Amino acid sequence: MQKPPAVTSLLKMKTGIAGLDEITGGGIPVGRNTLIMGGAGCGKTVFALQALVHGARSSNEPGLFVAFEESATQIIANAATFGWDLPRLTKKKLFFLEARLSPEIVKAGEFDLVGMLAVLQAKAKALGAKRIVFDGIDVLLGLLDDPVAERREVYRIRDWLAATGLTGLLTQKVSGYETDKRYSFLQFMVDCVVTLRHQVVDGSAFRNLRVVKYRGSGFEADEFPITVTSTGMELTTRGPAKLEYEVTDERISTGLPRLDVMLKGGYHRGTNVLISGAPGTAKSTLCGLFVAAACKRGERTLYVSFDEGAAQIVRNVRSVNIQLARYQKSGLLEIYSTRTRGPNVEDQFADLRARVRAHNPRCVVIDPLSALSTKLAHVASADAAQQFLDFLKGQGITVVNTSLMDGLDTDEATATGISTIADTWIHVSYVVQDGERNRALTIVKSRGTGHSNQVRELKLSDDGVTLTDVFVAKGKVLMGVARWEWEQEQQAAKKRSQVATELERLHLELAQAEAAARLQVIQTEIDAREAEIGLLALATGQASELRVTGRAAIRKMRHADVEVANKHMRAKSAKPKSRSKPARSGER
Amino acid sequence: MAAAKKLKYLLRLYVAGNAPNSVRAVANARALCIEHLRGEHELEVIDLMDFPKRALADGIIVTPTLVKVTPSPVQRLIGNLSDTEQVLLALGLK
């Protein structure tokens, strides 16, 4: 039965099932058959229908759906939750063939599918169909109820597909994981086999998908978790082996100016920020700041909360003057509050991915991501958180997520692996000191940027959020009241020093004024003396002239020496100076 | 089809070209009509290869399918009609 390898390279078509197209390297084989096997409720029909719808919507490839088990109306109604708009598609691009045989039908001999295939062929031609689904092939086989006829009809379908060039998807219900031996030929006949499995582990339901065979192509053979979200089925893969992201130097504000400075401009666009801390350390408030700043820039933002309802978040951050209501109203901000739902976190991440695709945000907050910590999660979901963050990074979305932890060395940080994924890690802790609790913010790491290594005190008030310097005194970091006291003391000391300086200045001014006054007195005195001297000189001159003439006359008369006369005159002129001094100082 | 009103049985047989089951069904149906309905019938054979739209309109899924339109109730049979017992039972002839 094994066909010789295809001469032309194998063409693949996308199913639109995220993850499946990656692990198969492009989707299901074109012009061949793919068999989807699984128990009840595994999502076989969703798988097949999604591939069909994807073709119709994204690749303009109309398709046919042959419903052996459920009625077409039921299928269309069931798929309504996925928003595929089937009623519109059925007008031009999709055709549903009701192929359920009513139980009243009497079987009177052998039958075959020749007529049906003729009908389908006509319809395919009319639509230009490229894909076809035979949903519930097991129902048809059960009706044929004859091993020879079963094989014959299945081969008929295969040959018909080969002749028409349609790509076929067959779904087959199997009980349990092992397929019924009687229908095992189906697996040999088709080119690609996918099994879906439903299992319950510790009371939690998990759905997995595995590609069992793919002729002419390599594929990842492991089992992968699948989830059915509001947009359809998706597969959680490990993501691309290569880490490749667009890198930008653009900085965006954290919403806290001081923190922007500490990070040398803010968060890097498209990176992953982790804010960790104990309960009540204002992690959500920091998220709120980031969201408000993003919305203010006009960027679409998604806030995912596992803690509180949207209204509560808005009210809480309003208490520190962060206004989010208007952005929520304008549609820029979507707050999605949800509960953690048991250990199967795959579903939750798939749900979040769908939300992200729907809202198309540039900034995302997950508060807290540790709600989806893998501590509880199933092994298969081990790296679900990483994959989700990877997905966001791939889209260039800036993510701020919070994590509940008391210290940096807790298990949680390493278990989720968030700390390694995070590009920037901010830790907020409590510092208990002198009977009070204060919030201290530090930047643990920030890739690709220098950052402050100082501890800052995070203060929340009615006016908003601020970061304050902390003081180190006597080998201790001072915060809260201690810091306030220290500040008060500093201020008092400064004041004291100011007063002292002022006093000193006044003293000096006084001394200067005194000196100036003294100078004035002396100047006046000098002037007075000069005047006195002038007067005296005048008087003395006249007197001495008289005396000189007198004495000369006397000398002439007595024949005395000249020297004696001069000496006498000098003693007489010094006399008034010594006499005036005590009188002047008395005036002061 | 004014004459059809007088007939007791109106049967429609949907077939697919020369497929062995279809060829056999036509032969079986004709033989059965002659033997059990003695001419009080009309047997309409519709080849879906030529009229695929009829299958969609009449809700035919597999071939061959025999539909007893009258007398009511409407009854459908699938298969090449080799199982005569089943056919007679279903048509109310036994």
Side-chain angles (χ1 to χ4, degrees):
Chain A
M1 262 184 287
Q2 201 76 31
K3 280 183 181 174
V7 181
T8 51
S9 68
L10 188 70
L11 288 173
K12 295 177 182 181
M13 63 166 57
K14 291 206 161 137
T15 61
I17 298 168
L20 183 87
D21 294 335
E22 280 83 67
I23 65 165
T24 53
I28 55 172
V30 170
R32 310 269 183 104
N33 306 322
T34 298
L35 176 69
I36 302 132
M37 305 193 317
C42 280
K44 300 182 296 296
T45 305
V46 175
F47 183 111
L49 187 56
Q50 190 165 346
L52 203 65
V53 167
H54 183 75
R57 275 161 59 122
S58 308
S59 318
N60 198 24
E61 294 181 353
L64 307 175
F65 192 99
V66 185
F68 286 114
E69 195 167 16
E70 287 176 277
S71 81
T73 330
Q74 256 178 321
I75 289 168
I76 292 172
N78 291 348
T81 51
F82 301 133
W84 294 338
D85 202 5
L86 286 183
R88 193 179 58 83
L89 286 175
T90 49
K91 281 181 189 149
K92 273 187 175 172
K93 292 189 168 175
L94 288 185
F95 172 72
F96 285 81
L97 179 70
E98 197 83 61
R100 254 188 339 161
L101 286 167
S102 114
E104 277 101 60
I105 281 188
V106 174
K107 192 185 165 198
E110 263 188 31
F111 63 91
D112 54 60
L113 298 177
V114 181
M116 181 200 270
L117 295 179
V119 172
L120 289 171
Q121 192 158 351
K123 203 73 202 176
K125 206 176 163 191
L127 279 180
K130 295 280 188 292
R131 309 178 182 201
I132 185 164
V133 172
F134 291 94
D135 188 36
I137 196 89
D138 52 291
V139 174
L140 174 76
L141 299 179
L143 214 64
L144 286 162
D145 198 26
D146 168 37
V148 180
E150 284 160 15
R151 280 179 184 245
R152 194 189 59 216
E153 294 314 311
V154 168
Y155 282 110
R156 196 191 299 284
I157 292 175
R158 189 191 69 173
D159 294 346
W160 177 79
L161 285 173
T164 55
L166 287 164
T167 302
L169 288 123
L170 281 64
T171 75
Q172 183 199 5
K173 187 161 68 262
V174 289
S175 44
Y177 197 45
E178 283 304 311
T179 170
D180 198 330
K181 275 226 170 81
R182 189 167 158 187
Y183 298 146
S184 60
F185 67 90
L186 263 171
Q187 288 187 59
F188 299 108
M189 188 208 89
V190 299
D191 297 291
C192 178
V193 177
V194 174
T195 58
L196 300 174
R197 188 162 72 110
H198 211 166
Q199 58 168 353
V200 175
V201 180
D202 298 332
S204 246
F206 291 91
R207 282 195 273 199
N208 294 302
L209 178 149
R210 187 163 74 94
V211 178
V212 179
K213 121 176 191 184
Y214 200 136
R215 272 188 197 141
S217 168
F219 58 93
E220 288 184 52
D222 291 342
E223 205 168 45
F224 293 95
I226 48 169
T227 45
V228 177
T229 67
S230 53
T231 55
M233 178 183 281
E234 63 180 53
L235 201 68
T236 312
T237 61
R238 296 185 196 92
K242 234 181 181 176
L243 284 172
E244 274 178 323
Y245 308 109
E246 294 243 347
V247 173
T248 159
D249 280 330
E250 190 188 343
R251 299 294 187 119
I252 55 174
S253 174
T254 62
L256 194 54
R258 195 73 195 269
L259 187 57
D260 289 347
V261 174
M262 284 175 81
L263 285 164
K264 313 262 183 227
Y267 303 137
H268 264 123
R269 165 86 69 199
T271 59
N272 203 303
V273 181
L274 173 68
I275 301 174
S276 66
T281 42
K283 298 185 296 294
S284 298
T285 308
L286 288 172
C287 290
L289 284 168
F290 172 67
V291 166
C295 288
K296 204 173 171 189
R297 290 192 302 271
E299 293 173 13
R300 298 182 69 80
T301 304
L302 176 67
Y303 191 123
V304 181
S305 172
F306 289 101
D307 273 347
E308 306 165 297
Q312 203 181 338
I313 292 168
V314 172
R315 185 205 64 191
N316 290 354
V317 296
R318 198 171 53 219
S319 73
V320 283
N321 202 21
I322 302 168
Q323 311 296 342
L324 295 182
R326 61 187 126 155
Y327 301 124
Q328 208 182 3
K329 213 170 165 188
S330 72
L332 212 53
L333 169 67
E334 186 189 330
I335 301 182
Y336 178 55
S337 294
T338 179
R339 249 178 245 286
T340 42
R341 289 164 298 205
N344 192 352
V345 294
E346 293 299 341
D347 280 335
Q348 302 230 294
F349 281 117
D351 185 28
L352 293 185
R353 269 189 280 266
R355 292 271 163 183
V356 168
R357 289 197 194 101
H359 189 62
N360 193 23
R362 287 205 81 185
C363 298
V364 168
V365 166
I366 306 159
D367 183 26
L369 187 65
S370 53
L372 299 177
S373 145
T374 50
K375 239 177 201 172
L376 290 164
H378 183 244
V379 199
S381 316
D383 35 21
Q386 289 195 35
Q387 283 163 5
F388 180 63
L389 294 177
D390 215 48
F391 158 78
L392 293 176
K393 205 165 193 179
Q395 316 240 330
I397 296 170
T398 313
V399 193
V400 171
N401 45 65
T402 67
S403 180
L404 198 64
M405 50 178 141
D406 295 323
L408 298 182
D409 306 319
T410 52
D411 291 343
E412 210 159 358
T414 40
T416 50
I418 303 167
S419 56
T420 41
I421 290 183
D423 298 299
T424 301
W425 183 358
I426 293 166
H427 188 72
V428 196
S429 61
Y430 280 128
V431 174
V432 180
Q433 193 177 49
D434 301 337
E436 57 178 87
R437 204 177 256 282
N438 295 298
R439 298 180 179 92
L441 182 145
T442 44
I443 298 169
V444 181
K445 73 166 182 185
S446 191
R447 284 181 185 145
T449 167
H451 58 85
S452 166
N453 54 7
Q454 285 187 301
V455 177
R456 293 272 188 280
E457 184 180 350
L458 188 63
K459 290 204 296 181
L460 308 181
S461 74
D462 294 348
D463 300 329
V465 184
T466 43
L467 277 178
T468 315
D469 284 333
V470 292
F471 293 105
V472 181
K474 297 169 210 155
K476 260 167 83 182
V477 171
L478 297 181
M479 303 181 94
V481 169
R483 177 183 47 73
W484 181 81
E485 279 176 353
W486 199 87
E487 271 179 345
Q488 293 298 307
E489 204 177 292
Q490 288 292 102
Q491 268 176 12
K494 201 173 164 191
K495 197 101 190 169
R496 278 199 299 274
S497 139
Q498 268 177 359
V499 169
T501 314
E502 181 65 14
L503 207 62
E504 179 74 5
R505 192 179 62 82
L506 285 172
H507 275 308
L508 286 172
E509 270 179 12
L510 185 66
Q512 191 190 18
E514 262 177 25
R518 260 200 321 266
L519 186 66
Q520 188 61 44
V521 169
I522 289 166
Q523 189 60 50
T524 317
E525 212 177 284
I526 288 169
D527 293 347
R529 288 283 182 277
E530 266 174 16
E532 270 179 57
I533 290 167
L535 276 172
L536 199 65
L538 197 64
T540 321
Q542 287 169 343
S544 65
E545 253 174 64
L546 285 172
R547 230 175 273 156
V548 167
T549 34
R551 274 187 196 157
I554 294 167
R555 250 197 327 262
K556 235 177 193 175
M557 289 188 285
R558 292 182 182 172
H559 306 284
D561 203 352
V562 177
E563 292 303 313
V564 177
N566 282 351
K567 210 176 191 174
H568 183 75
M569 203 180 81
R570 247 190 324 252
K572 218 167 188 186
S573 65
K575 236 178 189 174
K577 212 180 232 173
S578 56
R579 196 181 57 219
S580 67
K581 206 166 189 178
R584 297 274 179 191
S585 53
E587 278 170 20
R588 263 192 212 146
Chain B
M1 297 263 289
K5 278 176 188 167
K6 289 173 198 165
L7 298 165
K8 201 176 174 190
Y9 282 89
L10 174 55
L11 302 173
R12 281 191 193 130
L13 180 62
Y14 297 84
V15 295
N18 296 324
N21 280 326
S22 294
V23 171
R24 198 167 305 150
V26 173
N28 283 339
R30 288 200 172 127
L32 189 126
C33 288
I34 291 164
E35 196 177 328
H36 296 278
L37 302 174
R38 287 174 299 277
E40 297 171 17
H41 70 276
E42 187 182 315
L43 176 66
E44 191 187 350
V45 178
I46 300 144
D47 191 342
L48 297 182
M49 300 303 231
D50 299 329
F51 306 102
K53 281 184 181 162
R54 281 298 295 274
L56 297 175
D58 301 346
I60 304 306
I61 297 151
V62 297
T63 46
T65 296
L66 180 70
V67 181
K68 180 193 72 166
V69 185
T70 55
S72 59
V74 173
Q75 179 66 51
R76 289 179 178 226
L77 292 92
I78 56 169
N80 57 21
L81 309 177
S82 303
D83 193 339
T84 316
E85 286 293 295
Q86 280 289 347
V87 179
L88 293 177
L89 271 173
L91 294 179
L93 295 171
K94 198 170 180 178

